[in-house]
Amino acid sequence: MTQAAVDTLADADRPNTDARWAALRARDPAADGTFVYAVKTTGVFCRPSCPARPARPENVVFFATGSEAEAAGYRACLRCRPLAAEGRDPMTSRVEVLAAFIRAHANEALPLSRLAAEASLSPFHLQRSFKAVLGVTPREYQAAERLKAFKAALRDGDSVLGATFEAGYGSTSRVYEQVDGSLGMTPSAYRAGGEGETIVHAVRQTALGPLMMAATGRGVCFVQFGDSSAALTDQLRVEFPKAALIPAGEGARVPLDAWMSALDAHLSRAAPRPDLPLDLRGTAFQVRVWRFLLSVKAGEVVSYSEVAAGVGAPRAVRAAASACAANRLAVLIPCHRALRADGGLGGYRWGLARKRALLDAERAA
């Protein structure tokens, strides 16, 4: 196929070209994944958000996918890595292999130099590429994996001291310093399955089905849709098998019943979403994503690309989507407002029907 024919096919949808050019000029991260652009003079194709200097309009060709650009003879930009959006970026695969290595050696000392040698990259290139793909640095990723191992050891009945050294923390002072906030309670209390911890909970029947809210003394830690009150209570008990689980109507120590009523009013009668204290538990990147979602106004939506850009990691789109999926606080952290780049609903851990209903209600209000 001649280049002239390629150009004709690529720009056949002229009504869309102006919108694509506007997104390109704005380096709009929300457009990533919806198209790529190629530059005739360099033979390279890029994401719309690529920070490279914009080419002249007469040298730009638009394609729907990176595969189409490759078929036309263009190669992927090494700076913005457009193939990552299609899951075909070689660096994405290399980072995923390295992430598996970190998970397998999370309890060991993993300086950047060792990881760089493992990945056959320079330390600088590794640091930048790892964060671009997963949204966190290798050090932050290892810390999250180490915490996961520590929690698993505590749940299996290990002593705090044993779990500390097994996870690779080195000393109990280090473990209390690094994980207390992430556990939501002291390690010894977590090991005891929440023993001595009071968690107040309430269930309300809403237009979207039964909804449970639970809170520690730090704030709301659990908001879940379910099939029944019993099933929701079972989910809460799995997380804190030895905690004192107190229904809000039986002398609750925090105003959870009022909070639940406010949330029910939001769901059923379009009242404002209640601004409640939240006990967020997740990795540093997940918490950044959840805090960004809190800034999205009712009736508005964002793409996963916009979420990634909003937390300072524009190429970590898949990691941003995973953080949305890990959200435990339905509605209070409005992950239902995050959509795919093409406008599709994407996923929702409580079902797409609930996600659609939430969005429809907010738009109507």
Side-chain angles (χ1 to χ4, degrees):
M1 183 182 290
T2 66
Q3 185 60 53
V6 170
D7 294 350
T8 299
L9 288 175
D11 282 348
D13 53 341
R14 286 293 177 182
N16 291 328
T17 302
D18 288 344
R20 290 176 176 180
W21 182 251
L24 169 58
R25 296 291 293 181
R27 294 188 174 92
D28 184 5
D32 288 352
T34 62
F35 70 91
V36 298
Y37 74 94
V39 182
K40 301 175 188 177
T41 53
T42 63
V44 170
F45 68 92
C46 304
R47 297 170 181 256
S49 66
C50 184
R53 182 177 180 180
R56 293 178 178 274
E58 60 269 22
N59 293 328
V60 172
V61 185
F62 294 108
F63 295 94
T65 66
S67 298
E68 292 181 9
E70 286 182 313
Y74 293 96
R75 64 184 186 278
C77 174
L78 295 178
R79 188 171 184 181
C80 68
R81 301 191 178 281
L83 292 179
E86 301 175 24
R88 299 193 298 114
D89 179 39
M91 183 56 68
T92 298
S93 299
R94 189 180 296 191
V95 167
E96 289 174 347
V97 170
L98 186 62
F101 176 82
I102 294 174
R103 289 196 299 272
H105 300 82
N107 63 341
E108 303 175 18
L110 295 178
L112 194 60
S113 57
R114 179 181 174 186
L115 295 176
E118 182 70 25
S120 300
L121 295 170
S122 70
F124 172 78
H125 194 189
L126 168 63
Q127 181 90 342
R128 184 177 66 178
S129 300
F130 196 96
K131 186 166 185 178
V133 172
L134 295 182
V136 293
T137 65
R139 182 178 181 180
E140 290 170 336
Y141 188 84
Q142 183 187 6
E145 290 300 317
R146 184 173 284 176
L147 173 61
K148 189 184 300 182
F150 178 72
K151 292 170 70 174
L154 291 178
R155 282 178 167 171
D156 289 342
D158 284 8
S159 67
V160 174
L161 184 61
T164 295
F165 289 103
E166 183 179 338
Y169 284 108
S171 70
T172 54
S173 62
R174 291 286 291 168
V175 74
Y176 274 83
E177 172 188 324
Q178 294 187 30
V179 309
D180 186 22
S182 297
L183 288 174
M185 59 184 67
T186 65
S188 57
Y190 191 89
R191 175 185 177 276
E195 187 173 6
E197 183 82 9
T198 297
I199 299 178
V200 185
H201 61 90
V203 175
R204 291 287 183 277
Q205 184 63 42
T206 73
L208 302 180
L211 182 73
M212 173 178 279
M213 179 187 292
T216 65
R218 301 182 183 210
V220 178
C221 64
F222 182 100
V223 179
Q224 303 268 354
F225 291 103
D227 296 328
S228 66
S229 297
L232 287 165
T233 302
D234 288 343
Q235 291 179 38
L236 184 62
R237 188 173 289 112
V238 166
E239 185 68 23
F240 302 105
K242 297 182 181 179
L245 304 182
I246 302 177
E250 299 178 10
R253 299 180 184 177
V254 293
L256 188 65
D257 201 49
W259 296 351
M260 197 70 220
S261 297
L263 182 56
D264 184 35
H266 170 67
L267 293 172
S268 305
R269 300 189 295 278
R273 180 175 58 86
D275 185 12
L276 308 180
L278 305 180
D279 185 354
L280 299 179
R281 305 178 187 191
T283 66
F285 180 77
Q286 287 174 334
V287 172
R288 292 208 309 271
V289 168
W290 298 336
R291 293 193 184 284
F292 176 82
L293 291 172
L294 287 170
S295 70
V296 181
K297 297 179 180 179
E300 297 181 357
V301 294
V302 292
S303 68
Y304 294 118
S305 295
E306 288 177 300
V307 174
V311 298
R315 286 181 282 176
V317 179
R318 285 199 294 175
S322 296
C324 292
N327 172 33
R328 298 183 184 90
L329 303 180
V331 185
L332 292 183
I333 302 293
C335 59
H336 60 277
R337 295 174 190 162
L339 308 178
R340 293 202 308 253
D342 62 2
L345 288 178
Y348 194 57
R349 68 184 299 177
W350 299 286
L352 292 182
R354 286 189 174 113
K355 184 172 186 175
R356 185 178 294 107
L358 285 168
L359 290 173
D360 290 345
E362 290 182 348
R363 287 166 178 158

